[in-house]
Amino acid sequence: MQKPIFKEGYYYGALLYAFLIPFHQKIATLAIILWAFLSVLNFDKEEVKNNRSLWLLPLFYATYAIGLVTSGTVSFGFLETKLSFLIFPLIFYLQKYSDFQRKNMFVALVYGVIFSAVLCFIVATCRSITIKQGVWVFAPNVLEGKGAIESILYGGNYFFGSFFSIFHQTVYFALYVTVAMAIVIFREDLFPRKIRLFLGFFFFLLLFFISNKAAVIAACAILFLRICTLKISTQRKWITLLVATMCIGVFVWLNPRTSDSIRKITNEGLTIDKNGRYGFKTRLLTWSAATALLKEESFIGYGVGETQEKLNEKYKQKEYIYPLKESYNAHNLWLQTWLENGIIGLLVLSLLFFTLFRAGVKDTYFGGFILSLVMVLFINSLFESIFNRFSGVSFFAFITCFVLTNSKSTN
C-alpha cells in the first residue's frame, strides 16, 4: 500500500536539500535539518536495511574527534562543520528511497545548479552595467585601467572566478556543476536527448566562467569516461575522442586563466616560487610545507587543533609569503587528512574511496555514472581540502551515502 503524501515528507526534504545545494550553505543547512527531522518523524523499522558501509563516515568523524583531543585544543565549531558525517548516514539508514525518488533527487540537483547559475549571470550583468553621463556602459572589470585579459587574471571580472560565483567559493560551486554535468551525460533516463546536449554544453560554459582548474580536469575525465562506455564501434569512439579533445583544447585556449596556467607550467616547470600568489604556484607551496611537516610527524599527525598552526610556522620558516598571509591549508584532502588525523585517518579515507569505487564496479546498470561521481570527488580531493568547509563535507557525505545505499551496487 502506498504511503500518504504527508508520510513521505522526508522525501520532499531530500528534494529540497538537493535543489538548494548550489545556493548559500546556510539555506542548505536548514534543508538538512528539515530532512533529518522528517526522516526521524517517519521512521519505520520494518523498512530499515542495515548497511555496514555507512559506518565508514561516522568512523572518519571519530578520527577527527580523536585528533581534536590529542591536540589538546577545544574546537567544537570544527566538529560541527563535520557533523554531516553523522547526519547523512543516519538519514539514509532511517529511510529507504526508491529508484524513482533517487532519480528526482538528481533532477532537483541539476535544476538547483541551473537556477543558481542563472542568478550568478544576472548579478554579474547588473554589476557590470553603470550609467556615466547619462549613457549606459557595460564594464565587467572590477578594477579600472586594466585590460580584459589582465582583469580576468589578476584584477577581477564580474563574469569570472570568485566575483561570478556569488554563493560559494569557486571550488565548491564548480564541484556541484561538474556532478550535474555527470548526471546529464550519463543518466539518459532523466532528460530527453536534446535537453541533455544543451545542458552538457551549458555546464561546460559555466565552468568556463567559474574558471576552476580542478573542475575542468574532472569534467574532461568524465567526458572521456562517457565516450569510452558508449556502445559504439571502436572507430567511432576514437573519432569522438578526437573531436572531444579538440573542443577541450579550444576551451583551454579561450579561457585566460587556464591557458595562462598551462603556459607558466610549460615555461617554468614545477618550480617553487616563494612569492607565488595565484593558482598552481600557491598549491606547490602548500604541498611543499605539508610534506615537510609529514616528514617530521607522519604517524599520529598533529591533530585538527594544531595543524594550521604548524603549517603557518612552516610557511614562515620557508618564507612562503602569501600562504602565510592567507593562512592556507594543505589544499589537498589527503595531505590535510594525514596532517590532522595521522595514518589512521588516511587509511579510513582510502577505505572510503575504495568502497565507492567498488560500488561503481559492481553496479551493472549505472556503474559508469557512479565511477564518474567518484572520479569527480577524487580529482577535487587532489587540489583542495574539501572537508575544511561545510559546502564540501555535506556534499561529499550526501554523494557517498547515496552511492553506498544504491541497491544495485550493494546487492
Side-chain angles (χ1 to χ4, degrees), residues 5 7 11 29 43 53 62 84 108 126 169 179 191 214 262 294 314 324 334 336 365-366 387 396:
I5 293 179
K7 282 285 188 180
Y11 163 58
T29 302
F43 171 63
S53 298
S84 295
C126 292
Q169 282 189 345
V179 169
F191 300 96
I262 294 177
L294 287 173
K314 189 60 68 174
L324 176 61
W334 303 86
Q336 188 74 22
Y365 293 88
F366 301 112
F387 292 168
F396 180 89

Side-chain angles (χ1 to χ4, degrees), residues 186 204 215-228 248 372 375-376 379:
F186 279 90
F204 249 113
V216 173
I217 296 173
C220 295
I222 63 176
L223 180 60
F224 288 142
L225 177 63
R226 182 63 182 127
I227 294 173
C228 292
I248 291 170
S372 71
M375 189 181 298
V376 170
I379 291 175

Side-chain angles (χ1 to χ4, degrees), residues 107-406:
V107 172
L109 174 59
V110 171
Y111 279 123
V113 171
I114 293 172
F115 279 97
S116 62
V118 170
L119 285 177
C120 288
F121 279 113
I122 292 175
V123 172
T125 302
C126 292
R127 286 178 172 179
S128 302
I129 296 176
T130 58
I131 302 177
K132 294 182 178 180
Q133 299 178 350
V135 179
W136 292 79
V137 179
F138 183 75
N141 294 357
V142 176
L143 299 177
E144 295 183 2
K146 290 184 177 293
I149 302 300
E150 188 181 8
S151 69
I152 294 172
L153 293 176
Y154 307 110
N157 186 294
Y158 289 125
F159 284 91
F160 284 88
S162 58
F163 289 97
F164 175 76
S165 181
I166 59 176
F167 298 111
H168 294 275
Q169 282 189 345
T170 55
V171 61
Y172 300 108
F173 191 35
L175 173 62
Y176 307 149
V177 173
T178 313
V179 169
M181 182 186 300
I183 293 171
V184 300
I185 289 178
F186 279 90
R187 295 300 297 263
E188 299 177 359
D189 55 326
L190 299 185
F191 300 96
R193 184 173 180 273
K194 291 183 179 179
I195 294 180
R196 288 173 54 238
L197 290 173
F198 171 78
L199 289 178
F201 176 78
F202 175 75
F203 290 145
F204 249 113
L205 181 65
L206 190 54
L207 289 179
F208 180 88
F209 290 101
I210 300 173
S211 298
N212 179 263
K213 302 174 188 65
V216 173
I217 296 173
C220 295
I222 63 176
L223 180 60
F224 288 142
L225 177 63
R226 182 63 182 127
I227 294 173
C228 292
T229 57
L230 287 174
K231 295 180 180 180
I232 57 177
S233 64
T234 304
Q235 183 179 5
R236 290 185 63 186
K237 282 185 180 180
W238 279 110
I239 295 175
T240 307
L241 283 171
L242 179 61
V243 172
T245 303
M246 293 174 62
C247 292
I248 291 170
V250 173
F251 174 92
V252 172
W253 178 69
L254 290 177
N255 188 285
R257 290 188 174 183
T258 308
S259 59
D260 183 66
S261 297
I262 294 177
R263 180 184 59 78
K264 288 181 178 179
I265 293 175
T266 303
N267 296 337
E268 303 173 12
L270 300 179
T271 57
I272 297 294
D273 179 6
K274 294 182 179 182
N275 298 315
R277 183 176 179 179
Y278 299 101
F280 199 67
K281 286 188 175 182
T282 56
R283 292 293 190 279
L284 290 177
L285 298 181
T286 57
W287 296 345
S288 170
T291 52
L293 284 175
L294 287 173
K295 291 179 181 178
E296 300 171 8
E297 179 54 77
S298 61
F299 187 72
I300 63 173
Y302 296 91
V304 296
E306 294 185 2
T307 296
Q308 192 57 56
E309 295 179 7
K310 294 293 184 180
L311 279 171
N312 289 343
E313 291 176 5
K314 189 60 68 174
Y315 295 149
K316 186 176 181 180
Q317 176 186 337
K318 288 179 171 289
E319 299 179 348
Y320 295 166
I321 300 173
Y322 197 71
L324 176 61
K325 179 182 178 181
E326 298 296 325
S327 193
Y328 277 161
N329 57 48
H331 278 291
N332 179 290
L333 178 61
W334 303 86
L335 291 176
Q336 188 74 22
T337 299
W338 199 349
L339 287 170
E340 293 176 340
N341 306 328
I343 289 293
I344 295 177
L346 187 64
L347 290 175
V348 176
L349 180 63
S350 301
L351 183 59
L352 257 172
F353 272 96
F354 172 77
T355 306
L356 291 172
F357 175 78
R358 185 181 62 176
V361 172
K362 292 175 64 176
D363 194 307
T364 56
Y365 293 88
F366 301 112
F369 171 59
I370 293 177
L371 289 176
S372 71
L373 297 180
V374 179
M375 189 181 298
V376 170
L377 295 176
F378 178 74
I379 291 175
N380 276 271
S381 74
L382 297 178
F383 298 95
E384 188 67 33
S385 303
I386 57 176
F387 292 168
N388 275 41
R389 285 187 175 270
F390 175 82
S391 301
V393 175
S394 63
F395 191 66
F396 180 89
F398 169 66
I399 295 296
T400 297
C401 291
F402 197 100
V403 170
L404 295 181
T405 56
N406 181 39

